[in-house]
Amino acid sequence: GIDIVDPAGTVHVLLGSYTENIIVNQPLHLSGAGENKVTVQPAVSGPGVGEVGSLPAGASSMVLVQADDVEVSNITFDGDNPSLTSGAVIGGADIDARNGIITDHNAVSLVENLSVHDVTVRNVYLRGIQASTTFGSFTFADNATNNVQGDSESVGIANIQGGSGTISGNDVDGATTGISTNFSLGTTITGNAVHNSVVGIASNNNDGTGTTSADVIGGPNPGDG
């Protein structure tokens, strides 16, 4: 669908289970029939145990975003494919995916207007949902992540390396860090729930690139530790 859709068009993902590592290289809306109706699992096992960084060689990411104006919604991404065996058993799952949805900073330097909403990401090793291009922009709203805790650097929802945007209304359960920013150019974090995680919300090196946009952590961001 991604290969044939018109730029800025919609790829409708129908009811069912799919096995694929998805590369989004043009503006589009990847729209599923519903989180409880559509499941995507990785075709390649590559949790990258012991590797450094979110996208080392051989890393298996379920969605790599390489274009502006991408929207992903109403799909569950499960990083444990029962047909594959990685040996990285975390939270009761044999995890095959290193990342759920992530901007491909190895391929492009800027991704703007990334929107991820009403999505579930579970059983991934390092990053559930992440924006990671300098000066990029994003909205992550009303998503759920579960069992993103394979490493001390694992994060449910992240803005890394100089982007700005909004993280709101998400539910993070079972992460090393629930929500994290690093060198953010201004991220608004409101109305999220973080459960069963070592760190709830972390803002690191905010304004480290010399801008004047601070992170805003507003309430309520409920959680139970």
Side-chain angles (χ1 to χ4, degrees):
I2 291 171
D3 293 337
I4 64 175
V5 70
D6 291 334
T10 299
V11 177
H12 295 281
V13 186
L14 302 181
L15 172 72
S17 297
Y18 302 85
T19 301
E20 189 171 359
N21 291 80
I22 301 166
I23 297 176
V24 182
N25 55 11
Q26 64 170 322
L28 57 79
H29 181 188
L30 185 64
S31 175
E35 289 174 84
N36 61 343
K37 298 178 179 179
V38 178
T39 301
V40 176
Q41 298 171 332
V44 176
S45 184
V49 177
E51 297 287 344
V52 176
S54 54
L55 293 175
S60 178
S61 298
M62 283 187 281
V63 181
L64 272 175
V65 179
Q66 300 176 344
D68 297 338
D69 302 313
V70 171
E71 182 178 356
V72 183
S73 65
N74 295 297
I75 299 172
T76 288
F77 296 93
D78 190 337
D80 178 8
N81 182 343
S83 298
L84 303 173
T85 301
S86 72
V89 179
I90 298 158
D94 183 272
I95 290 178
D96 298 296
R98 186 168 182 81
N99 307 298
I101 301 170
I102 186 170
T103 54
D104 189 358
H105 52 266
N106 287 342
V108 296
S109 60
L110 177 64
V111 170
E112 294 186 293
N113 301 322
L114 170 62
S115 174
V116 180
H117 63 90
D118 300 292
V119 159
T120 294
V121 177
R122 63 187 181 222
N123 302 325
V124 300
Y125 185 82
L126 193 73
R127 303 286 159 77
I129 303 170
Q130 176 172 300
S132 54
T133 60
T134 303
F135 301 110
S137 58
F138 63 90
T139 301
F140 299 152
D142 303 317
N143 304 293
T145 71
N146 180 264
N147 194 25
V148 186
Q149 53 188 338
D151 188 272
S152 62
E153 301 294 324
S154 296
V155 182
I157 300 176
N159 172 27
I160 305 295
Q161 207 57 47
S164 62
T166 300
I167 300 172
S168 65
N170 303 283
D171 189 280
V172 178
D173 190 6
T176 305
T177 297
I179 298 169
S180 180
T181 68
N182 195 20
F183 291 101
S184 165
L185 298 185
T187 303
T188 299
I189 304 170
T190 58
N192 304 281
V194 180
H195 316 276
N196 304 309
S197 300
V198 178
V199 176
I201 299 172
S203 173
N204 305 293
N205 303 303
N206 181 224
D207 201 27
T209 56
T211 71
T212 58
S213 298
D215 284 351
V216 176
I217 301 175
N221 284 288
D224 60 6

